Structure formats: structure tokens, C-alpha cells
Amino acid sequence: MATADLGKKPQQRRRRSGGGQYQRSLYQIAKAINSTRVSGEVPQALLRGAAEAMGAKGSSLLLLNPERDQFLHIAAHGVSETFLRKGPLRVDDMLVKLLAGEAVAVEDAQSDPHVQYPDELKKEKIRSFLSVPLRLWDEVIGMLRVYTTRPRTYPPEAIEFLSAVADLGAVALENAKAYEALQQEVDDTRQELLTWYAERRAAQENPKKPVRFAHPSEEEFARLLDFYKIRWDYEPRSFPLVWVGDRIVEMFTPDFYLIDHDQYIELTTLKQSLTTRKNRKLRHLRELHPEINIRLLYRRDYNKILAKYGYAPLGEVGAETPGRIVFTEAEIKDRVAALGRAITEDYAQSPPVLIGVLKGVAPFLNDLMRHINLLVEVDYLAISPFGGEMPGGVHFLLDASLDLRGRHVLLVEDIIDTGMTLRYIIEHLHRREPTSLEVCVLLDKRARRLLESPLRYVGFEAPDEFLVGYGLDYHERYRNLPFIAIVNPAELAAPVGAKQAS
Ligand code: IMP
Ligand code: MG
């Protein structure tokens, strides 16, 4: 029989060979589909395979519209463009069976009164067709259809075969779509990396258009911003202040612009007596450009920022002394208890995870948690201090180990000064997808805020001084004081003799 078969057209040969041939065809279709990653190529592999295996003239793939009342052609094989353009198929009494997962056959379109578009079928010389649902998971999303030129009946194995092809196709379509999405993601990531490398290379090749700082304090300040990974520009813009005719005769050029925070910063290291002129200029600038955010840092502000990191302004380390008490032990105790009550009330329905920022928060959080009458969980994090030998800027020395996803998180801090530390921590915690994130801080040193963040609970408004005690340190000292005091720098510290006498 082999010789006789060879003389026949492939279509006939396949049709006659029955179930075994369907299996082979299915294998080939699966292979063809699986070898493409492009969703657009899946239908062609599917349609060609189905039509050939069933000895059909052509085939088509139709998808249901979102309203699920029409099938629309999305791809076809072996039928004309005109036929495809005839229009969508209504979900009628016959096609509704497909939605229920059944195959639908029209054995002879000429004698079947139900067929839609009978004239177009006739022109295309289609006499019979078989449709099977295209299913994804449990849902019918469309149909696969084969057309033949003669009237025909469809045995169960033919229906099974076409259904298997449809199932295979639906999954392949979905996979290809997912693959394309994945590919897109990979491409995006690669693009980001390339940009990052390019930027880094550019930065290395011409190291940050060597900024010429007008004053060493500006350079120091830039280093501080770099540490907190706050992007800045140095003197990026000049604002005209005074004109004579068309001529600008006076300008204001703020020192820094914090790119991500739309914040200008003017550092003035001049003596206090010389700042009057600068103040006037700044007022003028604010009048002319009320839309710009600008913050003036005086020398004393600046010194205090540096003092916090252990730089000179407070004098030689060890020569300073704790000075005037700002908050007594009793005051702190009362206030912490009140904060605990407020938290207990606000979080009664959904106890929070308390996250303390080490090390300064230790006494505060220890006391606070004992005034919260809820089943709270407690965790800690710690970030690297500025000014150490640690390269790479701010980073976490310790991260909260609890799963914060879907939790109500209450971040507990000792003191907020410029707000740079807090901002860095908040951005990090947001990435861990808590349901809510609020801040509780014992001391709010508003006076020198550079970056604002909402503070839900505040213990005290702190004076613009360097404070120690109740967790706060100067060079790791004084954390254990039960009160909070201002630090007296070396030159104000009581003479050694007096100290001994007391
Ligand atoms: P910020 O990033 O400028 O808000 O600084 C916050 C951190 O600086 C706090 O967590 C403290 O560790 C430290 N800090 C700020 N002000 C003081 C202070 O007066 N005494 C001791 N540490 C301070
Ligand atoms: Mg701190």
C-alpha cells in the first residue's frame, strides 16, 4: 500500500490514515507552536496544522468580543480575505453551544437554515465546517474552525483532535504573550542597566564637571548630601532680581538644588553681621518667585549639622559638657505615656509593628512600648552614620526582620533634624509594602528641616540646639542620661577646677 499512498496528495493520505495520523499531526503542531515565542506566529502554526491534518480547505481562529456576543476573526489559513471580511459571527442558538464548551458542526451548509453568511460561504465554496471552543483555563475565549469543500460528518476522533489542537493553541498563545511581556521586562531592565553604566562611565571620565565650590563648607555639605544619596546640582540657576532697563544688575544664585525634592539651599557661612544683605536678597527672590522653595542655612545651622556628626563646632571631643536640661526625666515620662495612650487608641483595630531606629531610640522605644496596650510587634533597624570610613553612602547596618507586607508600620525615631535620615528610611520601608506607614518621633527639631515628611506623633518640639541624653549622643556619650540636655561646647564648659569642686 505504501506505493499507492505515495501517489496521492498529502491531504488525502492524512485523512485516510485516521487516528494514528491525528496523533502524528498533533505532535507536529505542538512542536511547531512550541518553537515560536512570537504570539503572532502561534495561530499560523495551529491553523495550518489543523487544516492539513483534517484534509480541510482552510481554517480560522476567532476570538469572543468582551461582551461575549460575537466571534471575531483574528487569523485564517486557506480562505480568502473577502471571506474573512464578511463580518463577525453572532452568538446565535447554534454558536451558544460553543460557549458551553461543545463542538459545533455544520455537515452541509447548503441545507442548513441556521448558517450565518450563506452567500459568502457559497462564494468561498465551503460546504461544511467544524468548530471547537478555544478555552483558557475554564473559560471559552474563542473558537477554532476548519472548512471543507464537501459535505462531511465528523467522527469523535476528528472532534477530539481539533479540540486538542485548540487547547494547545490557547495555552501557547497565552505563553507567547507572557513570554513577550517577560522579554519586554528583560529589555527594559537591560536598558536601565546600560543607561546606568553609561552615566557611571561618563561620571568617571569627566568627574562631575569638577564643581568649583566657593567655600569649603559647601564641599562638606555636598559630601553630606552624597552620603544620604540626595541628588544635587551646584549653583544650577541664577534668578534675576534687579533690572536697569533690560539689563540685569542683580542676581541670586542659590548654592544647591536638591533635584528630587525641588528644593534650593543657600548656605551662608558669612558672619552673622554680614547676612542682612543676603536676607534682603532672599526676601526679594521670594517675592519675585514665590514658586521656588528655598532654604537658607546660616553658619550656626550648618555648624550644628556638622556637630551632629562629630565635627569640630562643639570643640574637642571630651571637652564638652552636658549643659542646661531641656526636658526633665518627669516631663519625658509624662509625654511618652501620653504618646503610648494615643497610639493605643489609634491602632486599637490593627496593632502596629513598631520599628525603632537604633541606637538613639532605645530608651524611648523601651518606655513607649510599655505604654501601648496592644499586641504590638517590635523590630529595629540601623543605618550607617555619616563621617565614618564606610564607603558607598548611607546604607542599612540592620534591617527589620519581620515581614512588613500588609502590616501597619509605625516607625519610631529619637529626633528628626534635617529629615534626611528619615526620608531615606521611609523610602526604604515603602518598598516593603506595608499597608500604612506612620512616624512617631520623640523630638522634632523643626528649625533646620530640609526635607519634610509627615510626622504622626511628636513628643516635643526641640530647640535648635545640639541635644544629648535619653538615647541621644555626642560621640556615643551621654545616651544614658535620664533627661535631655543641651551640650555646652568646650569653650563654654565649666573650667576643670569648678567641675571637680561640684
Ligand atoms: P537628620 O537626618 O538630620 O534628621 O538627623 C537625624 C539623626 O541625627 C537622628 O536620628 C540623630 O541620630 C541625629 N541627631 C540629630 N539631632 C541630634 C541632636 O541634637 N543630638 C544627637 N543626635 C542628633
Ligand atoms: Mg537617630
Side-chain angles (χ1 to χ4, degrees):
M1 288 299 140
T3 41
D5 268 355
L6 278 178
K8 287 182 181 148
K9 285 186 182 158
Q11 281 186 359
Q12 289 168 329
R13 203 167 69 226
R14 285 206 179 95
R15 193 169 30 188
R16 296 223 171 143
S17 48
Q21 186 56 44
Y22 280 145
Q23 214 176 341
R24 294 254 333 254
S25 301
L26 199 56
Y27 166 73
Q28 277 158 359
I29 294 171
K31 231 166 83 171
I33 287 177
N34 204 22
S35 69
T36 175
R37 296 187 182 100
V38 186
S39 54
E41 287 174 7
V42 172
Q44 283 313 319
L46 195 80
L47 292 167
R48 194 178 330 106
E52 282 178 8
M54 296 191 65
K57 162 193 163 61
S59 52
S60 64
L61 191 64
L62 299 92
L63 290 185
L64 263 173
N65 62 354
E67 293 76 32
R68 301 182 71 78
D69 58 2
Q70 288 182 345
F71 286 96
L72 311 165
H73 287 92
I74 61 149
H77 167 81
V79 289
S80 72
E81 270 303 302
T82 348
F83 178 72
L84 283 183
R85 294 228 187 90
K86 67 187 184 303
L89 293 175
R90 235 176 334 101
V91 175
D92 59 10
D93 289 350
M94 185 166 71
L95 293 181
V96 81
K97 291 183 190 158
L98 277 165
L99 295 189
E102 285 176 43
V104 174
V106 167
E107 294 178 357
D108 187 353
Q110 271 180 22
S111 59
D112 193 322
H114 300 294
V115 293
Q116 298 177 42
Y117 304 104
D119 296 341
E120 283 81 357
L121 287 171
K122 202 181 272 171
K123 261 186 234 147
E124 195 71 21
K125 300 196 175 63
I126 292 173
R127 274 299 279 282
S128 162
F129 47 88
L130 171 66
S131 317
V132 296
L134 192 68
R135 253 182 310 230
L136 194 59
W137 297 298
D138 270 344
E139 201 188 351
V140 174
I141 59 165
M143 70 160 112
L144 176 62
R145 202 168 236 212
V146 290
Y147 307 97
T148 61
T149 49
R150 290 166 198 282
R152 190 161 158 188
T153 56
Y154 298 91
E157 60 271 21
I159 295 174
E160 264 170 26
F161 166 75
L162 198 62
S163 300
V165 174
D167 283 347
L168 201 61
V171 173
L173 269 173
E174 202 55 28
N175 280 347
K177 231 163 63 187
Y179 182 83
E180 280 167 4
L182 185 71
Q183 202 62 45
Q184 186 62 48
E185 224 169 88
V186 171
D187 282 352
D188 291 351
T189 312
R190 191 184 306 140
Q191 200 50 53
E192 264 168 39
L193 270 176
L194 286 176
T195 316
W196 186 75
Y197 281 129
E199 276 173 9
R200 228 178 52 150
R201 198 171 332 113
Q204 277 165 359
E205 278 165 13
N206 49 36
K208 207 166 187 192
K209 47 171 166 120
V211 179
R212 286 281 206 84
F213 291 105
H215 193 277
S217 63
E218 293 170 353
E219 190 168 351
E220 187 62 54
F221 188 69
R223 233 184 287 156
L224 183 64
L225 293 174
D226 282 344
F227 174 79
Y228 281 104
K229 298 177 181 162
I230 295 169
R231 298 196 297 156
W232 54 270
D233 267 341
Y234 182 66
E235 299 191 337
R237 204 177 146 186
S238 292
F239 298 91
L241 292 183
V242 182
W243 288 263
V244 173
D246 309 344
R247 213 159 53 87
I248 299 165
V249 294
E250 193 176 342
M251 303 222 284
F252 192 105
T253 309
D255 296 320
F256 287 92
Y257 178 63
L258 310 188
I259 299 162
D260 301 311
H261 306 281
D262 187 28
Q263 173 80 52
Y264 287 92
I265 291 178
E266 174 67 6
L267 276 186
T268 160
T269 47
L270 299 169
K271 280 208 225 94
Q272 207 63 38
S273 56
L274 295 175
T275 53
T276 328
R277 198 178 120 81
K278 188 135 211 185
N279 271 327
R280 193 180 42 76
K281 274 179 92 171
L282 194 70
R283 256 203 314 279
H284 198 163
L285 174 73
R286 285 187 172 129
E287 280 162 19
L288 289 176
H289 299 275
E291 76 287 356
I292 78 162
N293 301 314
I294 181 156
R295 183 91 176 72
L296 184 63
L297 284 185
Y298 294 106
R299 180 181 210 127
R300 58 163 197 271
D301 294 314
Y302 177 71
N303 282 350
K304 280 171 191 156
I305 290 179
L306 290 187
K308 188 171 68 178
Y309 303 108
Y311 288 87
L314 288 177
E316 193 193 330
V317 177
E320 83 293 334
T321 51
R324 182 170 65 82
I325 293 178
V326 188
F327 301 107
T328 63
E329 192 172 357
E331 281 171 330
I332 297 171
K333 204 169 157 216
D334 284 354
R335 189 66 193 123
V336 173
L339 289 175
R341 282 193 300 273
I343 293 168
T344 304
E345 212 168 283
D346 295 348
Y347 285 87
Q349 304 308 317
S350 43
V353 181
L354 305 176
I355 299 185
V357 183
L358 292 173
K359 304 177 216 177
V361 83
F364 175 45
L365 184 53
N366 275 349
D367 290 342
L368 180 70
M369 69 169 99
R370 285 176 287 177
H371 287 286
I372 300 175
N373 196 6
L374 298 169
L375 281 173
V376 296
E377 287 170 57
V378 180
D379 213 332
Y380 296 92
L381 51 81
I383 65 167
S384 54
F386 175 70
E389 284 85 74
M390 256 152 317
V394 65
H395 59 273
F396 284 87
L397 298 173
L398 172 76
D399 198 354
S401 59
L402 293 172
D403 185 7
L404 305 181
R405 205 177 175 156
R407 301 297 307 270
H408 294 279
V409 170
L410 183 58
L411 183 69
V412 186
E413 258 278 35
D414 47 4
I415 185 164
I416 312 296
D417 185 9
T418 62
M420 293 194 281
T421 312
L422 181 66
R423 181 63 68 96
Y424 177 74
I425 296 171
I426 286 180
E427 280 172 10
H428 167 77
L429 288 178
H430 268 303
R431 284 195 285 277
R432 297 187 54 180
E433 300 179 31
T435 298
S436 71
L437 177 58
E438 303 283 354
V439 178
C440 172
V441 61
L442 179 65
L443 298 159
D444 181 7
K445 210 192 270 180
R446 288 220 55 79
R448 239 180 1 236
R449 192 63 37 83
L450 296 180
L451 303 181
E452 291 291 349
S453 299
L455 307 177
R456 175 92 180 260
Y457 306 95
V458 175
F460 301 102
E461 195 153 315
D464 185 10
E465 300 284 355
F466 195 82
L467 304 173
V468 290
Y470 198 62
L472 298 173
D473 72 308
Y474 178 63
H475 271 252
E476 296 300 325
R477 295 145 159 249
Y478 311 116
R479 292 194 196 277
N480 58 327
L481 296 178
F483 49 80
I484 294 170
I486 291 171
V487 174
N488 281 338
E491 64 265 31
L492 291 185
V496 178
K499 214 172 164 187
Q500 280 171 339
S502 65

